[in-house]
Amino acid sequence: MNTYESSMSKLRFAIMGGTFDPIHYGHLAAAEEVRVGLNCQKVIFIPSGNPPHKKGCVRTDEAHRYDMTLLATASNPYFEVSDIEMNRNGYTYTLDTIKKLNKYYGNEVELFFITGADALLELETWYKVEQLLKLCSFIAVTRPGYDKSKLEQKLYHLQSKYNSELYIMDVPGLSISSTDLRKRIEQGTSIRYLVPEAVEQYISDHKLYRK
Ligand code: NAP
């Protein structure tokens, strides 16, 4: 499904979930593209707490990832950052996050969860996916040149199996990746113009991602 039809009477909030380790211009461009494309009233960035699929992976402290997300989004009045997944005990499941948001905002708000295409390919491994797909729509954002054939098949499968709302959106600026940024910093290469200046400064001040 490529059209973003829905009940126009409801407010639309996009949820930008991610590790954001670190946040970069690709994430910001994706959020803005979805906000405008779907006519959302706001985008709520939610740095992930302790997601089950990152078991044992070294990640930067959540307080740093949260602060960098705050700095990166500060200049956009439509962007907000939530600490809903911070300081939660045990694994943080997207279902629990969406349930909390639904309870908080009520029935007048429709939620769209934005995430990377690769994460969406694994959606059926997520905690209680059937329930999750009933509570929000999903937007898979893709990098330029991304081969969408597998993703389209997956979306079709998910839509027919769960009667759910899932969309694909191409984002021109998404060729930046957090993995590449961490590598660059480790190797002493510049990350200028790939992340907002304030984030670059924060990384430098806190000596993040160095060997
Ligand atoms: P990831 O596996 O680190 O990222 C997969 C790919 O998607 C990477 O290329 C990543 O690029 C990109 N990506 C991730 N979030 C993005 C976003 N919001 N916009 C654009 N690209 C994005 O995925 P993750 O960041 O840990 O997880 C994504 C979200 O899914 C989080 O909110 C997480 O909690 C949720 N999740 C939930 C469950 C569950 O409930 N069981 C399981 C898995 C994931 P970058 O590295 O450049 O960001």
Side-chain angles (χ1 to χ4, degrees):
M1 189 184 295
N2 285 316
T3 52
Y4 310 112
E5 292 155 13
S6 157
S7 128
M8 289 310 284
S9 57
K10 287 192 175 190
L11 292 173
R12 294 174 155 207
F13 294 172
I15 309 298
M16 184 76 177
T19 311
F20 303 136
D21 194 15
I23 190 160
H24 51 68
Y25 275 130
H27 296 128
L28 299 171
E32 184 66 1
E33 196 86 356
V34 173
R35 181 186 76 76
V36 174
L38 265 71
N39 197 17
C40 292
Q41 282 68 39
K42 64 175 160 185
V43 182
I44 307 168
F45 285 70
I46 304 188
S48 57
N50 184 21
H53 68 299
K54 294 266 161 138
K55 261 180 233 174
C57 293
V58 181
R59 272 179 305 115
T60 309
D61 191 87
E62 59 185 28
H64 284 314
R65 293 184 290 109
Y66 177 76
D67 285 349
M68 289 190 281
T69 308
L70 272 182
L71 289 170
T73 53
S75 64
N76 188 326
Y78 297 103
F79 288 177
E80 268 181 32
V81 185
S82 164
D83 61 359
I84 194 168
E85 292 199 355
M86 309 275 101
N87 309 312
R88 221 192 261 174
N89 286 330
Y91 290 129
T92 41
Y93 297 110
T94 301
L95 176 66
D96 296 335
T97 304
I98 295 294
K99 273 184 177 173
K100 275 193 182 179
L101 293 173
N102 264 331
K103 200 170 166 190
Y104 184 74
Y105 290 118
N107 285 339
E108 299 316 302
V109 171
E110 196 178 356
L111 298 177
F112 294 83
F113 191 87
I114 313 168
T115 195
D118 294 340
L120 259 209
L121 284 174
E122 303 299 321
L123 194 65
E124 278 186 298
T125 66
W126 291 25
Y127 179 64
K128 296 191 180 170
V129 65
E130 191 166 358
Q131 223 180 314
L132 178 62
L133 284 166
K134 285 199 177 93
L135 296 179
C136 67
S137 307
F138 273 80
I139 315 288
V141 288
T142 58
R143 301 193 150 95
Y146 186 90
D147 177 6
K148 279 187 281 191
S149 50
K150 241 169 108 185
L151 182 65
E152 280 165 354
Q153 269 178 26
K154 183 56 122 185
L155 255 62
Y156 182 71
H157 162 77
L158 292 168
Q159 279 162 351
S160 35
K161 184 167 173 189
Y162 301 104
N163 191 24
S164 50
E165 301 278 341
L166 301 110
Y167 311 99
I168 299 175
M169 197 176 262
D170 296 318
V171 178
L174 207 61
S175 49
I176 307 166
S177 93
S178 299
T179 308
D180 176 56
L181 288 169
R182 292 195 300 272
K183 256 189 226 151
R184 280 169 170 265
I185 298 163
E186 207 179 295
Q187 292 164 355
T189 315
S190 171
I191 59 163
R192 200 167 187 188
Y193 308 123
L194 301 176
V195 300
E197 248 179 83
V199 172
E200 188 187 358
Q201 190 60 51
Y202 186 98
I203 292 171
S204 163
D205 290 348
H206 293 85
K207 301 183 173 48
L208 301 181
Y209 311 116
R210 295 190 190 166
K211 257 189 188 159

